Amino acid sequence: MDALEPGQLVSATRRPLPRRALSQGILALLWGLRIYVLIAIPVVVYAFVQALLTPQ
Amino acid sequence: MSEASIDSEPLLDCAPAIEALTREDVLRATDRLNVQKSRAAKSPLRLLWLLSGPGILVMIGENDGPSMVSYATTGATYGIGFFAPFILLTFLMAFVVQEMAVRVGVATHRGHADLIFQRFGPFWGYFAMGDLVFGNLLTLVTEFIAIQAGGLYFGVPAWLSVAGGVVVVIGSLAFRRYATWERALMGLAAFNLLFVPAALMAHPDPQALGRAFATWGPLPGGVSASFLTLLLANIGATVTPWMIFFQQSAVVDKGLTAADMPQSRADTGIGAVLAAVAAIATLVATAPLFVAKADVSQFANGADFATALAPLIGPTGATLFALGILEAGLVAAMTISTSSSYALAETMSAARMAGTAHSLNLDFAQGKLFYGAAIVSTILAAGVVLIPGAPLLAMTLTVNVIATLLMAPALLLLLLLANDREIMGELANGRLGNLTGGAIVIAISVVGAVYGAMTAFPGLLGK
């Protein structure tokens, strides 16, 4: 087992990591991403419905 | 373990191995022992061979059924002028992105979905996993369309090709051994290069090819909405979210460490070059359709291209093209279904649920969720393709929209992880890495959003 680095053992990779302390800039970026995602999901649904309604 | 005790310890240091060793640990240690022996013997080629895999598979895997159709459409519409060097550029961008994913994997020994959940919380964890698994399911449908189309060219009934594809994808999981799965898949992926002899049978003009790389031209018809659509589709055919999740998890499953970074970079670079060669070969193979002014707007799949190419490049070239399409769908189905397995099981594991081990080294009993995700998604996708009148075109279009519109969150989260010095240590992005990686991430995100919007609203840029 010496061939593995200690951090590669399954028991080690199962240890939880703490949440990252996010700076104001990253927090703002992630909120921007949330808004982007909220806009993008209806576009995906719209594209699917439109494609369904288009005769193949 | 309390949060305080977690905080007081180095993040990625490990506790003494007091828990029982798993089958996964033992198999990974066996592979690492071979690597160590090869390194000690100063055998660089053998070392590269042992450490290769994830990079080649991810790049060839992205040369999937829809991507090859996209390259074929491009070749038949514009010839080999502008797009030959452009495709090379897209694979360079893919290399930069995937290299970051490799670094995050070797520095943390954790998969992408696992890290997103743990470092950014459940919202992004569940969103990234849900987005990926749903998008992958639809993409798998398009891969089985490619498998079906390749089979139809040879007169194989649709149900038989699809059933054969399901047997190969699920059968590969029966190895229950990452290393064997990886080598078998690499053998299959080599057939992606069938597009090269197909291209040679189109008798391309070497001078025209050289001129294309030197001048990025010609571009028949100039810049138009259809040109922009193909441009964006080619970018979408090279960099997608499943690639990040797959390669990072595969690097962890293979047991790569920081010492293996030079070979891992080479693996990703070789993969990018091979995939670019196959993609450009597809462009070259279909260029005779451009010269013949063939109307490819109604072509639905790779088999249509193979049939149209037969009188132009000969039956052997067309056969190689159809085989290449079949291979593209099959290899992508295997890598994409596995990326779903990794993402689902890693996310559930990060949420501290039981029975969520995630490795191709697992026994079926320990990897019910992991193997189950790949098996169920494969059977579902194959089943959908065989349903008479199923909205396959709608699904193909939705795949494009999902993959491109939702590329931005995947890339930005990767960039944030690659800059997370607490977990990355010395492997964190440097200034140059952030400049190039950041520029590519922004460019691909913007382009992806524009392409997604154009696909959803086709009249956006006029004709």
Side-chain angles (χ1 to χ4, degrees):
Chain A
M1 296 313 297
D2 290 345
L4 288 181
E5 288 183 356
Q8 287 182 295
L9 291 167
V10 171
S11 54
T13 59
R14 284 302 181 93
R15 291 179 68 211
L17 291 173
R19 288 275 290 271
R20 180 176 171 180
L22 301 171
S23 67
Q24 292 295 320
I26 293 177
L27 273 176
L29 182 69
L30 290 179
W31 271 107
L33 264 186
R34 281 176 197 237
I35 293 166
Y36 174 83
V37 166
L38 285 177
I39 296 168
I41 287 174
V43 173
V44 171
V45 174
Y46 171 81
F48 186 61
V49 173
Q50 278 296 108
L52 274 181
L53 296 176
T54 306
Q56 293 187 44
Chain B
M1 186 181 286
S2 72
E3 201 164 285
S5 69
I6 294 167
D7 286 339
S8 62
E9 297 167 24
L11 288 186
L12 291 172
D13 196 11
C14 33
I18 48 172
E19 285 100 331
L21 292 174
T22 64
R23 167 191 160 93
E24 195 186 330
D25 287 323
V26 174
L27 292 176
R28 196 166 293 131
T30 309
D31 294 340
R32 292 304 301 171
L33 201 57
N34 286 332
V35 170
Q36 287 182 356
K37 282 178 185 167
S38 202
R39 188 164 273 137
K42 298 194 187 312
S43 173
L45 283 179
R46 178 163 166 73
L47 191 60
L48 180 61
W49 168 245
L50 288 175
L51 295 172
S52 290
I56 290 174
L57 289 182
V58 81
M59 293 293 184
I60 301 273
E62 185 48 18
N63 266 1
D64 62 348
S67 297
M68 299 327 267
V69 170
S70 176
Y71 296 133
T73 307
T74 306
T77 312
Y78 287 98
I80 56 169
F82 171 84
F83 279 98
F86 181 74
I87 286 172
L88 198 59
L89 178 71
T90 59
F91 277 98
L92 186 64
M93 293 197 292
F95 171 81
V96 174
V97 171
Q98 294 305 126
E99 192 270 348
M100 275 196 279
V102 173
R103 251 186 302 123
V104 176
V106 302
T108 62
H109 302 306
R110 289 171 192 252
H112 199 60
D114 186 0
L115 279 182
I116 289 175
F117 192 105
Q118 304 227 26
R119 297 299 277 165
F120 299 109
F123 173 83
W124 288 112
Y126 287 123
F127 168 76
M129 182 273 288
D131 166 31
L132 185 86
V133 170
F134 182 65
N136 276 0
L137 183 62
L138 294 184
T139 310
L140 274 175
V141 172
T142 67
E143 306 308 345
F144 277 103
I145 293 173
I147 293 169
Q148 182 192 43
L152 282 175
Y153 180 82
F154 297 105
V156 179
W159 69 267
L160 190 56
S161 310
V162 171
V166 170
V167 168
V168 172
V169 174
I170 295 178
S172 70
L173 302 174
F175 290 127
R176 295 166 299 126
R177 181 85 168 86
Y178 174 84
T180 315
W181 178 88
E182 180 194 79
R183 296 295 133 162
L185 200 49
M186 282 170 82
L188 203 54
F191 288 93
N192 201 241
L193 294 172
L194 285 176
F195 289 100
V196 176
L200 292 175
M201 287 173 193
H203 302 294
D205 176 5
Q207 284 186 330
L209 203 53
R211 248 193 329 273
F213 280 101
T215 64
W216 286 60
L219 180 58
V223 176
S224 63
S226 65
F227 162 75
L228 285 176
T229 305
L230 278 178
L231 190 86
L232 301 179
N234 277 291
I235 294 175
T238 322
V239 189
T240 48
W242 76 263
M243 296 170 72
I244 300 168
F245 286 82
F246 173 80
Q247 194 171 3
Q248 188 174 326
S249 297
V251 156
V252 174
D253 213 359
K254 192 174 171 70
L256 301 187
T257 67
D260 307 323
M261 267 316 291
Q263 290 80 15
S264 295
R265 283 195 183 102
D267 170 43
T268 309
I270 291 167
V273 169
L274 290 177
V277 166
I280 292 169
T282 309
L283 203 71
V284 173
T286 52
L289 292 170
F290 166 71
V291 177
K293 297 188 177 6
D295 178 15
V296 298
S297 60
Q298 299 304 312
F299 285 13
N301 55 51
D304 291 339
F305 280 95
T307 306
L309 282 171
L312 300 170
I313 65 171
T316 308
T319 299
L320 290 173
F321 193 93
L323 276 175
I325 292 290
L326 194 86
E327 173 278 341
L330 197 54
V331 169
M334 292 163 89
T335 49
I336 291 171
S337 59
T338 311
S339 84
S340 290
S341 287
Y342 280 129
L344 180 67
E346 283 172 16
T347 303
M348 296 310 160
S349 172
R352 316 305 297 161
M353 291 183 191
T356 54
H358 38 84
S359 168
L360 282 162
N361 283 325
L362 291 170
D363 262 331
F364 287 125
Q366 286 127 27
K368 283 179 191 149
L369 177 71
F370 179 79
Y371 290 119
I375 291 169
V376 169
S377 59
T378 300
I379 291 174
L380 265 178
V384 166
V385 173
L386 293 178
I387 296 172
L392 300 181
L393 185 64
M395 288 183 184
T396 306
L397 285 173
T398 311
V399 166
N400 290 339
V401 178
I402 288 182
T404 51
L405 266 182
L406 298 179
M407 195 63 208
L411 285 175
L412 285 170
L413 289 173
L414 172 66
L415 196 59
L416 289 175
L417 285 173
N419 275 287
D420 187 344
R421 291 187 183 278
E422 278 186 309
I423 58 170
M424 290 292 290
E426 290 180 355
L427 287 173
N429 265 10
R431 186 170 292 185
L432 185 64
N434 273 333
L435 271 176
T436 50
I440 288 169
V441 165
I442 290 168
I444 292 175
S445 300
V446 171
V447 157
V450 172
Y451 180 57
M454 280 172 69
T455 313
F457 309 103
L460 205 63
L461 292 183
K463 299 207 169 189

